[in-house]
Amino acid sequence: MPELPEVAYVRERLARHVTGRRVVDAIVGDPTVFRQTLSNTAPVAEDAEAVCARMVGGVVGEPIRQGKRLGVRIGEVQLLVHLGMTGRFVCREESPKAARFGLALDDGRRWWFEDPRKFGALTVSDDLERDVSAGLGPDALDLAEGLLAERVAGRGAIKTRLMDQHRVAGIGNIQA
């Protein structure tokens, strides 16, 4: 799984280059990237093409992040993104070999969700703000002074408590 700094970077990059753009086309490179829940082991959603069709003509909203989760509105579609270990968004004219999903935008650019190991997942949400933070503690980058110690207090290995996403969202193996 990517660490919080990578996910924060992806959110910032998408916010800078994609927010406010109209979707000209949405491309399903691998329909198994669309899952019923935000996990690469969840059952595959059956309507990947229909979801992409609903994105066409929509305007991309500002991405939101909580811990290692991303969310973005694309027209009427509220999309949750789990990058997995190797997932990333790249801007390329042609589809990368490992492209699982793509957006062609009104500025002529194409953004691809590239995921060579196929650990990433996309899920349609009916409440993006709720689902991007569901079950997560406060974001590690937004903790008030002293709150980290309070959130991870207790018995057991400190690394395990730091990595518990229910306590603090976003701390991974490297940060712990």
Side-chain angles (χ1 to χ4, degrees), residues 34-36 51 54 77-80 122-126:
F34 286 91
R35 299 291 178 152
Q36 292 177 14
V51 169
R54 289 177 28 219
V77 178
Q78 300 178 71
L79 196 63
L80 288 169
L122 305 175
T123 301
V124 175
S125 168
D126 60 353

Side-chain angles (χ1 to χ4, degrees), residues 130-142:
R130 176 197 68 209
D131 291 342
V132 81
S133 61
L136 298 178
D139 190 88
L141 296 180
D142 296 333

Side-chain angles (χ1 to χ4, degrees), residues 28-95:
V28 178
D30 175 6
T32 66
V33 73
F34 286 91
R35 299 291 178 152
Q36 292 177 14
T37 61
L38 200 59
S39 167
N40 68 326
T41 60
V44 173
E46 297 178 17
D47 56 356
E49 293 289 345
V51 169
C52 285
R54 289 177 28 219
M55 292 180 197
V56 175
V59 174
V60 180
E62 173 123 8
I64 59 174
R65 181 194 60 76
Q66 175 76 8
K68 301 177 192 179
R69 288 189 198 152
L70 285 173
V72 64
R73 290 179 195 276
I74 304 172
E76 68 181 59
V77 178
Q78 300 178 71
L79 196 63
L80 288 169
V81 180
H82 173 60
L83 297 176
M85 288 180 69
T86 59
R88 64 189 189 139
F89 282 89
V90 296
C91 182
R92 300 237 185 342
E93 180 73 25
E94 298 297 320
S95 170

Side-chain angles (χ1 to χ4, degrees), residues 153-174:
R155 300 181 59 92
I158 185 67
K159 183 174 182 178
T160 303
R161 287 180 277 141
L162 283 168
M163 291 178 57
D164 180 347
Q165 301 301 296
H166 296 92
R167 291 175 182 256
V168 179
I171 296 178
N173 191 49
I174 294 171

